[in-house]
Amino acid sequence: GAVVSQHPSWVICKSGTSVKIECRSLDFQATTMFWYRQFPKQSLMLMATSNEGSKATYEQGVEKDKFLINHASLTLSTLTVTSAHPEDSSFYICSARAPASGSHTQYFGPGTRLTVL
Amino acid sequence: QKEVEQNSGPLSVPEGAIASLNCTYSDRGSQSFFWYRQYSGKSPELIMFIYSNGDKEDGRFTAQLNKASQYVSLLIRDSQPSDSATYLCAVPTTGNQFYFGTGTSLTVIP
């Protein structure tokens, strides 16, 4: 149980285009999902917290107009990188929190590797 | 002081030895503690979590929690080359997010 998927697993795009990444909880309902970014050999960096049915909460320094997050259902959150540039190239990882019994456990998706040319 | 601190390593142990990974945290009110493993180029995967003082065992893994000293450790018995990865300690915040340590890189030498 507690499987989280991401799609696509990797994407290459041209500078200036937008890219949408999907995060799905496959066998549980996730009221809260998290979006992280990780550069090579660096730690996970939390970008935003996504709550179903409400606006995402962005971490300081993360542009909400550039990284659009939508959490339309209890099993799906999407991250759209708008007008992507080479510096946005990174490993984007989502996680989902299973809400049962107040558990804080986060289950991570496999990640999406974005390369912007 | 960072909320969660880990030795970045790298930590090298021979195959079959016990690997000991340590994590300290600053919030004395923290109640739960998580260990994740991250292979290079992959996303983190949950190893185990611990809520109560003492030891919690799961196969070759043992988590140890000492709330008075504010540290949590992960022991890996009979280390295998496949255990070579970065191990992340995570502590929930009041906002249900995680404070992650920077991770300890472990290499198990055959």
Side-chain angles (χ1 to χ4, degrees), chain B residues 3-63:
Chain B
E3 288 81 6
V4 178
E5 296 200 50
Q6 296 180 252
N7 290 331
S8 61
L11 173 66
S12 294
V13 300
E15 184 175 355
I18 296 175
S20 178
L21 306 163
N22 298 313
C23 172
T24 58
Y25 58 94
S26 60
D27 184 358
R28 188 171 288 278
S30 297
Q31 296 295 313
S32 56
F33 308 86
F34 296 77
W35 283 101
Y36 288 85
R37 175 176 62 195
Q38 186 175 24
Y39 290 113
S40 180
K42 303 294 184 182
S43 66
E45 56 180 320
L46 179 68
I47 297 176
M48 63 191 305
F49 56 84
I50 186 168
Y51 290 86
S52 304
N53 265 336
D55 295 359
K56 178 182 179 182
E57 188 174 315
D58 185 358
R60 295 187 295 112
F61 298 96
T62 299

Side-chain angles (χ1 to χ4, degrees), chain A residues 32 34 49 97 104, chain B residues 92-98:
Chain A
T32 305
F34 303 89
T49 302
R97 190 172 73 90
H104 289 92
Chain B
T93 71
T94 52
N96 293 320
Q97 300 163 348
F98 271 163

Side-chain angles (χ1 to χ4, degrees), chain A residues 12-116:
Chain A
I12 301 173
C13 69
K14 293 183 178 180
S15 185
T17 60
S18 294
V19 175
K20 179 185 283 189
I21 302 170
E22 292 186 348
C23 177
R24 293 181 184 272
S25 56
L26 298 185
D27 52 2
F28 66 99
Q29 293 183 330
T31 53
T32 305
M33 290 184 173
F34 303 89
W35 286 96
Y36 295 85
R37 181 167 56 180
Q38 188 174 37
F39 293 105
K41 298 192 183 300
Q42 294 190 21
S43 301
L44 290 168
M45 187 195 81
L46 179 65
M47 299 176 67
T49 302
S50 169
N51 292 297
E52 186 267 338
S54 63
K55 292 184 177 180
T57 302
Y58 291 81
E59 295 300 300
Q60 191 173 8
V62 178
E63 299 175 60
K64 61 181 180 181
D65 294 331
K66 180 170 182 63
F67 299 99
L68 301 179
I69 292 172
N70 184 278
H71 193 158
S73 76
L74 287 172
T75 59
L76 174 64
S77 177
T78 60
L79 168 68
T80 302
V81 183
T82 63
S83 186
H85 288 92
E87 58 266 30
D88 298 323
S89 298
S90 188
F91 191 40
Y92 291 86
I93 311 171
C94 73
S95 70
R97 190 172 73 90
S101 303
S103 170
H104 289 92
T105 305
Q106 289 186 29
Y107 297 95
F108 285 84
T112 297
R113 194 162 302 281
L114 171 63
T115 301
V116 184

